[in-house]
Amino acid sequence: MSKTSHKIYFIEVLRGPAALLVVAYHITGILMGAYSFWPGMGRDLFRNGNIGVDIFFMISGFIICYATRNKEDNYRSSFIIRRFFRIYPLFIICLTIAWLTYNSGYDYLDYLHSATLMQNNYAGKAPFFGYNILYPAWTIAYEVMFYFVFYFGMCINHKYRGFITAILLLMAMSTIQISFKGELSVHGHFSSYSPDMGVFSPPLTLLGSPLMLEFIIGMGCYYLYNTLKTSKNITVSLLFLTLSVIAISMMYFVDLNSHGITEKGIVAAAIFIPLMLSEMTGMKLKSKVSRFFSDISYSLYLTHAMVLKYYTIYLKDIGINDFPKGVLSFFSILAVCIVVAYIVHITVEKWFINIGKKIITILSTKENNNSLEKKPT
């Protein structure tokens, strides 16, 4: 039995905290100047909280290989259906609500632009490129571009899908950077954008981004997890877990300015890889808490920005221009974000995911029936 037939727990352990770190990063100002004995509390604790994005990209690279490990019937259409219903319905609902309420200043063409998961300005600062109307969604553009390339890699050869995808991504990144910038860079804030790209600037700019390397790291970790033979040794497992904790502590001591493998990405990998090796050597960090936060992570990531915006609007309506300061305010807002994410997860996200599963089941049943009808009697 292969390792990939077992439950993978370290991904659950990482996914939830990654989303929570991003939320904490966006509300860190609540802790700034709240206490005279530690005026920079928010900055010191969560200045690198957006490392959750880099962790998400590595998780995606790992999980997409894991989820496609079996070459099922209609695997190409199943892949598209699963990815679509996992990501897009919740995104478009949140985007629409945001546009109709606090982002109503954007016209319908801006809305349609964001609905295609494109950022607002590819000539702007990388890797955000002007964000999206629903600003956390800037990362989803990278995710979808990665899925697009992975789909082609899988169609070329299912067995070597990860390897082929990595080659395609590396070739695309290097070719685009050299063609339009005349140089190669792995720095996360490097932009390959050029006006010469014309209407193809969205996909070319994303494919030329060094952030794609983080998906490759995730895929590489999957193959390491799947092929490396390890024995169960609790001492070794604890050692790897300790290394991961040390890497986590680096977020407090080191100021990481940019996404990508030169800064936040290398720390994300230093957290991700030892935690994976810890599980491979026997440590199973499973709990209902980690499962809960893993389940709601996508809803939390998308909706927390909306919660913060509506709270800001409410405060201004009652004559308050800033969030109340302090730990109590911090955890109160965080709790509200978690509750909203849970409600959205069970009422919207899971519903659409189940629709996707039902469609795949219907297609599989239809394919099986067609196969039976074609068999000679």
Side-chain angles (χ1 to χ4, degrees):
M1 183 177 292
S2 66
K3 284 183 175 122
T4 50
S5 62
H6 297 292
K7 180 72 175 178
I8 298 176
Y9 295 104
F10 84 95
I11 293 294
E12 285 186 357
V13 171
L14 283 171
R15 187 186 276 133
L20 288 169
L21 277 172
V22 173
V23 178
Y25 174 79
H26 288 148
I27 60 176
T28 187
I30 296 172
L31 298 175
M32 293 297 292
Y35 305 103
S36 58
F37 65 88
W38 193 356
M41 178 186 291
R43 179 195 62 240
D44 295 339
L45 291 176
F46 301 114
R47 60 186 166 187
N48 296 314
N50 57 349
I51 195 176
V53 168
D54 302 81
I55 294 173
F56 275 136
F57 287 168
M58 293 179 190
I59 289 174
S60 292
F62 187 102
I63 285 297
I64 207 67
C65 289
Y66 173 78
T68 56
R69 65 196 183 280
N70 297 321
K71 190 177 180 180
E72 59 186 332
D73 294 334
N74 300 307
Y75 70 93
R76 294 182 180 90
S77 57
S78 295
F79 177 84
I80 294 172
I81 292 168
R82 282 196 181 97
R83 293 299 95 198
F84 177 84
F85 282 96
R86 178 71 180 86
I87 290 176
Y88 198 74
L90 179 58
F91 160 72
I92 200 66
I93 289 172
C94 291
L95 173 69
T96 303
I97 293 173
W99 179 58
L100 293 175
T101 54
Y102 61 83
N103 273 334
S104 58
Y106 291 93
D107 62 31
Y108 74 95
L109 290 177
D110 294 323
Y111 166 77
L112 293 176
H113 184 86
S114 286
T116 61
L117 285 169
M118 288 193 287
Q119 285 102 315
N120 288 327
N121 179 19
Y122 286 95
K125 182 180 178 181
F128 316 106
F129 301 115
Y131 296 94
N132 186 285
I133 288 179
L134 185 68
Y135 75 81
W138 71 270
T139 64
I140 304 177
Y142 289 92
E143 295 265 359
V144 172
M145 185 55 63
F146 165 65
Y147 296 152
F148 180 79
V149 178
F150 185 89
Y151 175 81
F152 276 96
M154 185 172 59
C155 290
I156 293 171
N157 186 290
H158 185 274
K159 182 178 180 180
Y160 299 105
R161 63 201 181 281
F163 177 76
I164 294 171
T165 301
I167 295 298
L168 291 175
L169 287 172
L170 288 172
M171 288 177 60
M173 187 187 80
S174 57
T175 301
I176 291 168
Q177 288 188 8
I178 292 174
S179 298
F180 293 100
K181 290 294 187 179
E183 62 177 306
L184 281 173
S185 176
V186 295
H187 193 279
H189 280 192
F190 175 84
S191 173
S192 60
Y193 171 81
S194 169
D196 295 335
M197 292 177 174
V199 295
F200 298 105
S201 59
L204 291 177
T205 303
L206 293 180
L207 284 172
S209 172
L211 290 191
M212 289 296 174
L213 296 173
E214 296 185 338
F215 295 102
I216 295 176
I217 291 173
M219 290 190 295
C221 286
Y222 166 77
Y223 285 103
L224 180 66
Y225 182 92
N226 194 42
T227 59
L228 184 63
K229 304 299 181 183
T230 58
S231 58
K232 306 303 179 185
N233 187 313
I234 192 62
T235 302
V236 174
S237 184
L238 286 172
L239 174 61
F240 283 127
L241 182 61
T242 301
L243 291 175
S244 186
V245 172
I246 291 173
I248 292 171
S249 69
M250 289 175 63
M251 292 190 294
Y252 178 83
F253 295 104
V254 181
D255 191 7
L256 305 169
N257 294 313
S258 67
H259 295 288
I261 63 170
T262 57
E263 292 194 43
K264 287 186 171 68
I266 195 169
V267 176
I271 296 170
F272 189 99
I273 296 172
L275 195 62
M276 177 188 72
L277 293 172
S278 179
E279 179 162 319
M280 291 171 64
T281 51
M283 183 70 70
K284 304 294 183 182
L285 298 174
K286 55 181 179 178
S287 72
K288 291 182 178 179
V289 174
S290 63
R291 178 61 183 272
F292 170 80
F293 283 107
S294 177
D295 288 345
I296 70 167
S297 60
Y298 182 56
S299 292
L300 179 61
Y301 181 74
L302 279 188
T303 61
H304 81 275
M306 302 173 69
V307 172
L308 297 180
K309 187 63 178 181
Y310 290 130
Y311 185 39
T312 301
I313 293 171
Y314 166 74
L315 290 176
K316 288 183 178 179
D317 287 342
I318 62 174
I320 301 176
N321 294 321
D322 196 5
F323 294 113
K325 300 285 186 177
V327 171
L328 180 60
S329 177
F330 178 88
F331 282 105
S332 296
I333 295 173
L334 183 62
V336 172
C337 290
I338 292 169
V339 171
V340 171
Y342 174 70
I343 294 172
V344 171
H345 170 69
I346 62 175
T347 59
V348 179
E349 184 182 1
K350 286 183 68 174
W351 190 75
F352 279 107
I353 290 174
N354 289 332
I355 288 178
K357 291 178 179 178
K358 289 178 181 178
I359 293 174
I360 291 171
T361 300
I362 292 171
L363 291 176
S364 298
T365 302
K366 184 178 179 180
E367 179 69 21
N368 290 335
N369 290 338
N370 290 338
S371 298
L372 290 173
E373 290 175 1
K374 291 178 181 179
K375 285 184 178 180
T377 57

